[in-house]
Amino acid sequence: MPHAGYKQFCPLAMAAEVLCTRWTMVLVREMIAGSTRFNDLRRGVPKMSPTLLSQRLKDLEAAGVVIKRPVPSERGVFEYCLTQAGEDLYDVVIAMGMWGQKWVESSLSLGNLDASLLMWDMRRNLNPEPLVGRRAVLQFVFHDQPSTKRDWWLVVEPTGETDLCWSDPGFEVDLYVNVDLRTMTAIWMGLTKVSAERDKFELTGSREIADSMQRWLGLSPFAAQKKLVS
């Protein structure tokens, strides 16, 4: 790693030299969540510069946490996969996230709103079971955001695969969800529920999909952790 170390033989200090540089654990979180391609990783860390992302991937590769592999079917395309050492970080990532959910003040977390990151996380954590059997198109409208961050589409295929679109995919929308970004983020984090915030939603479209929203909505993997500070 190209930074000053702690100069200690302690295993924790040695691990911190690998993992505690800026953005590193957030990047590992993305890889634990299943992202392997550069552009997908960028979507999970939208405020990280491409240059720094590239450097951190090289650092993790040098540390034996990540391996870079060519995609056989796509010339010039690579994916970044966790090694066994990287996969062993799963419990570390979960423990850190649970600690943050439990002890970091909600007001601090909700001060870092990001529509693109929220929708990316909702896409990969969405539960397709209540929607399975046909294509379901869900349009989220964050009315308090600028036009470039206001409209988002989740397209849930009959197989359960879910795509996130920044522009209109051209399908008939089954449910329009009009809400402010803070409320949607708080629900995703498990700080509140759809039923408790009904007066902040404008739901237009399928009554069945609207009524099952809490079931299909993709929540944070840390949402189950009870928060001990407000």
Side-chain angles (χ1 to χ4, degrees):
M1 289 297 197
H3 60 86
Y6 296 104
K7 309 301 181 185
Q8 291 188 355
F9 60 81
C10 170
L12 176 62
M14 299 299 293
E17 289 189 14
V18 175
L19 301 173
C20 292
T21 52
R22 183 170 172 79
W23 286 107
T24 298
M25 284 304 294
V26 180
L27 179 56
V28 171
R29 177 204 68 193
E30 286 305 301
M31 302 189 78
I32 290 289
S35 295
T36 59
R37 299 197 180 189
F38 192 87
N39 286 338
D40 286 343
L41 289 167
R42 282 200 65 193
R43 294 173 84 170
V45 287
K47 296 184 180 179
M48 185 180 187
S49 73
T51 301
L52 183 56
L53 172 56
S54 180
Q55 183 59 56
R56 287 292 178 265
L57 287 169
K58 290 177 181 177
D59 292 343
L60 289 171
E61 188 176 8
V65 175
V66 168
I67 185 170
K68 180 180 179 181
R69 295 173 177 164
V71 178
S73 59
E74 300 180 51
R75 186 174 181 179
V77 177
F78 295 87
E79 61 182 359
Y80 299 86
C81 302
L82 293 169
T83 63
Q84 183 177 350
E87 292 175 351
D88 273 356
L89 289 170
Y90 175 85
D91 289 342
V92 178
V93 169
I94 294 300
M96 288 181 68
M98 290 298 189
W99 184 91
Q101 178 79 351
K102 185 176 182 179
W103 293 108
V104 176
E105 293 182 15
S106 301
S107 59
L108 296 178
S109 298
L110 292 174
N112 297 312
L113 300 177
D114 188 323
S116 59
L117 178 57
L118 173 64
M119 292 305 300
W120 182 244
D121 278 334
M122 285 170 55
R123 179 206 66 84
R124 64 184 171 195
N125 290 296
L126 184 141
N127 172 22
E129 185 177 341
L131 308 171
V132 77
R134 64 182 180 87
R135 175 185 289 133
V137 181
L138 315 166
Q139 182 176 350
F140 284 78
V141 181
F142 298 122
H143 56 73
D144 59 334
Q145 296 300 295
S147 59
T148 55
K149 295 289 186 180
R150 185 181 58 208
D151 295 282
W152 305 82
W153 289 260
L154 289 173
V155 180
V156 187
E157 299 293 348
T159 59
E161 182 179 352
T162 304
D163 290 325
L164 172 64
C165 302
W166 280 273
S167 58
D168 191 341
F171 301 123
E172 181 178 351
V173 175
D174 294 284
L175 182 68
Y176 293 88
V177 181
N178 193 313
V179 66
D180 66 276
L181 181 57
R182 183 183 177 91
T183 296
M184 195 70 255
T185 303
I187 292 171
W188 176 82
M189 291 179 63
L191 304 177
T192 185
K193 293 185 177 182
V194 174
S195 58
E197 307 295 339
R198 279 292 187 183
D199 61 329
K200 297 180 181 178
F201 280 91
E202 181 181 342
L203 302 176
T204 307
S206 168
R207 180 66 179 271
E208 180 183 1
I209 296 177
D211 288 346
S212 63
M213 186 173 178
Q214 188 69 52
R215 289 180 56 214
W216 55 255
L217 195 61
L219 299 184
S220 163
F222 311 118
Q225 172 64 58
K226 183 178 179 181
K227 204 160 190 65
L228 293 188
V229 292
S230 60

